Amino acid sequence: MKSAVETLNPTRVRLTVEVPFEELKDSLDAAYQKINQQVTVKGFRKGKIPARVIDQRFGRGAVLEEAVNDALPKFYTEAVNEAELTPLGQPEVDITELKDGETLNFTAEVDIRPTLEIPDYSGIEVEVDAIEVSDEDVEKSVEQLRERFASTSPVERAAEDGDVVTIDLEAKVDGEVLEDGVASGVSYTIGSGELLDGIDEAVKGLSAGEEATFTSELKGGSAAGREAEVTVKVTQVAARELPELDDDFAQLASEFDTLDELKADSTKRLAGMKQYDQATQAQERVLDKLLELVEVPVPEKLLEDEVNTRKHNLEHHQLGQMGLTLDKYLEIQGKTAEEFETETREAAVKGIKTQFVLDELVKKENLGVNQEELTEHLMRRAASSGMSPDQFAQAVVEGGQVPLLVGEVARGKALAVVVEAATVKDTNGEIVDLDDEDEETEETTEVTEATETADEKTEG
């Protein structure tokens, strides 16, 4: 077999392959054997029909077609390996010449990973938010904790903001009560925004036993997205009572003896959260700077696949779970279809470029992934997916997704190498020491998840 490579553009090549006919012998023998098992000819036992009889009865062309279909993947793979290419997705194959007894010639066009030059990235500098925990931040945190320990007691007056009302609901569309539009004994805090638009205005001013009707767009159920006439009846009004902010509250709501200790812990916890956010911000900005340094051509077919995958996941998974259509989602976001298309394409381009660059860094820095790192990453992914580690691991193995997870871990390590080499300062001009080598921030996960399509195409 002889092969040659023609570069069509930085991300696409054409392989020209010439196969001497004698190298088709194994595939021809397999073709005759396969046809033997599929047909019957009077006078011959099944599986014992001579090749010349098969040629006469069914045509040599049928045998050649079967043999070529069997042989092409093998010769294509040999040509790819010989040229040391990394293909993305399936090739477009064209048989240019097939002469019985002489030769098989074909071409195969396929997208490939571009060759990248990673420049010196040690000079990258980024600025991130300083870690500052204000008294207002602490007070807000303590107040949220106080809200969780609020008690309620029934009152005989009209409902006000902040009250907890017990209500019965009935929704009608086109004058008909929906089967899933009736609910009784629903507890609702006025002003929380947790139910239907317009319900706060409807129930405020109502006492127990009174009702009101309002119009609202349903957020879920069989008539999600449609306007409904909703009748709400208040069966109880209860006032919320917040506990006093004192040492007794600290002992009730935490493991601390005093309110000062509780506030000190809140300060420490908030600082930790801001430090995590700071590390995430550093990764995002260092990655953006790195991508600016590298010229990364993006295969058009891979880009289209990534865009379509993102749209599908949003429309059929994320929005579907919320009972929203894409049009309604765009309306809520205040975006046009064109703006959504542009944003999705830009995000897809960044995701693909990110994978290509970080994968190149993995090779350049010779980064490996050990079992402990893979297990820790699997545990994190399982937690974010809502599955148990065992369930997630089983799904990963059965789906053949282990290489994808290994790639995610390796890319996270590559990004960490760049962040470590970069100069990170906060808005106060202070150098930030991101000593988080053992922690994976949300940005690392986001980066790896955003590039799964390209990973799958590479595997393909």
Side-chain angles (χ1 to χ4, degrees):
M1 184 197 81
K2 293 192 302 181
S3 64
V5 181
E6 176 187 359
T7 299
L8 303 178
N9 61 50
T11 62
R12 192 166 180 84
V13 298
R14 179 187 293 123
L15 291 164
T16 301
V17 184
E18 299 179 10
V19 182
F21 207 80
E22 57 266 22
E23 293 188 31
L24 285 173
K25 182 180 183 306
D26 290 344
S27 293
L28 280 168
D29 291 343
Y32 279 117
Q33 184 64 30
K34 183 175 180 179
I35 294 174
N36 243 306
Q37 300 300 321
Q38 294 176 338
V39 303
T40 57
V41 175
K42 189 175 182 180
F44 296 95
R45 286 182 296 165
K46 193 174 184 65
K48 300 295 184 181
I49 307 170
R52 60 179 176 77
V53 175
I54 291 177
D55 289 345
Q56 291 169 357
R57 288 293 188 94
F58 305 102
R60 173 72 168 174
V63 179
L64 287 176
E65 181 180 359
E66 182 67 41
V68 169
N69 289 339
D70 175 74
L72 277 177
K74 178 184 68 173
F75 292 125
Y76 165 72
T77 300
E78 288 181 10
V80 165
N81 292 338
E82 186 177 289
E84 297 182 343
L85 300 175
T86 305
L88 300 170
Q90 298 302 315
E92 296 178 7
V93 177
D94 181 27
I95 298 173
T96 56
E97 186 176 22
L98 176 58
K99 289 185 178 179
D100 194 358
E102 295 183 27
T103 187
L104 163 66
N105 297 335
F106 69 92
T107 62
E109 288 190 18
V110 68
D111 287 332
I112 60 168
R113 277 179 177 263
T115 301
L116 303 179
E117 290 294 330
I118 306 295
D120 179 17
Y121 48 79
S122 61
I124 290 177
E125 294 187 10
V126 298
E127 184 181 73
V128 296
D129 294 336
I131 297 176
E132 297 174 345
V133 180
S134 66
D135 291 342
E136 290 76 11
D137 292 332
V138 176
E139 294 300 328
K140 182 179 179 181
S141 174
V142 173
E143 190 63 26
Q144 289 173 341
L145 183 62
R146 188 183 178 205
E147 291 277 349
R148 288 170 50 192
F149 283 85
S151 60
T152 60
S153 57
V155 292
E156 295 185 3
R157 60 167 170 77
E160 302 172 354
D161 269 328
D163 285 345
V164 179
V165 290
T166 304
I167 55 178
D168 297 336
L169 293 166
E170 180 183 84
K172 294 181 181 179
V173 173
D174 296 333
E176 297 290 332
V177 178
L178 299 172
E179 288 187 10
D180 55 354
V182 178
S184 300
V186 178
S187 180
Y188 176 66
T189 301
I190 300 176
S192 67
E194 295 175 350
L195 282 177
L196 300 168
D197 292 338
I199 194 169
D200 288 336
E201 293 76 9
V203 297
K204 277 192 294 186
L206 297 183
S207 299
E210 296 180 336
E211 63 182 49
T213 300
F214 64 101
T215 301
S216 182
E217 184 178 295
L218 299 179
K219 297 180 180 180
S222 60
R226 300 186 63 184
E227 289 287 328
E229 182 182 86
V230 182
T231 298
V232 54
K233 180 179 181 180
V234 175
T235 59
Q236 179 180 276
V237 178
R240 299 176 74 248
E241 298 176 3
L242 297 176
E244 291 293 327
L245 279 178
D246 52 23
D247 291 347
D248 288 339
F249 169 70
Q251 295 167 21
L252 170 69
S254 71
E255 70 272 29
F256 302 105
D257 293 327
T258 68
L259 184 60
D260 287 341
E261 290 174 337
L262 173 60
K263 289 184 175 181
D265 180 72
S266 294
T267 302
K268 180 180 178 181
R269 181 173 49 82
L270 290 170
M273 293 170 61
K274 287 180 179 287
Q275 185 176 28
Y276 182 89
D277 292 340
Q278 187 186 67
T280 299
Q281 195 177 66
Q283 284 193 330
E284 292 173 346
R285 296 180 179 180
V286 168
L287 176 61
D288 288 341
K289 290 282 189 180
L290 176 64
L291 294 181
E292 290 175 7
L293 295 177
V294 188
E295 185 68 30
V296 187
V298 176
E300 190 59 34
K301 177 66 166 60
L302 181 64
L303 175 58
E304 293 304 318
D305 286 347
E306 175 71 3
V307 169
N308 291 333
T309 296
R310 286 170 181 261
K311 289 179 180 177
H312 178 85
N313 289 342
L314 174 65
E315 191 167 2
H316 297 282
H317 296 296
Q318 296 164 258
L319 297 183
Q321 292 176 354
M322 294 187 289
L324 293 176
T325 64
L326 180 58
D327 288 342
K328 186 60 181 176
Y329 168 75
L330 294 180
E331 180 185 329
I332 294 172
Q333 294 293 314
K335 297 177 183 176
T336 65
E338 291 74 18
E339 289 171 335
F340 170 70
E341 179 74 26
T342 299
E343 290 179 4
T344 302
R345 183 167 292 269
E346 289 175 350
V349 168
K350 182 180 179 181
I352 293 171
K353 286 184 175 183
T354 296
Q355 180 187 332
F356 286 170
V357 170
L358 294 183
D359 282 350
E360 191 66 32
L361 268 170
V362 168
K363 291 191 294 183
K364 180 179 179 179
E365 301 293 346
N366 195 28
L367 300 174
V369 176
N370 60 41
Q371 185 61 49
E372 182 180 357
E373 291 168 334
L374 182 60
T375 300
E376 289 177 356
H377 182 67
L378 187 148
M379 298 280 281
R380 283 189 288 265
R381 287 293 304 274
S384 64
S385 70
M387 301 170 67
S388 72
D390 288 344
Q391 289 174 326
F392 187 79
Q394 183 177 353
V396 166
V397 173
E398 291 178 352
Q401 303 295 298
V402 173
L404 299 186
L405 257 66
V406 172
E408 290 177 4
V409 178
R411 284 190 286 274
K413 294 179 70 172
L415 182 55
V417 168
V418 182
V419 172
E420 185 177 357
T423 299
V424 182
K425 294 182 179 181
D426 65 20
T427 48
N428 294 328
E430 300 292 330
I431 296 290
V432 176
D433 181 15
L434 296 169
D435 188 18
D436 282 333
E437 294 182 4
D438 294 329
E439 295 294 329
E440 178 180 10
T441 68
E442 291 178 355
E443 170 63 16
T444 303
T445 302
E446 181 182 334
V447 164
T448 53
E449 289 179 346
T451 59
E452 287 182 12
T453 297
D455 238 345
E456 291 165 0
K457 290 296 176 183
T458 304
E459 294 294 319

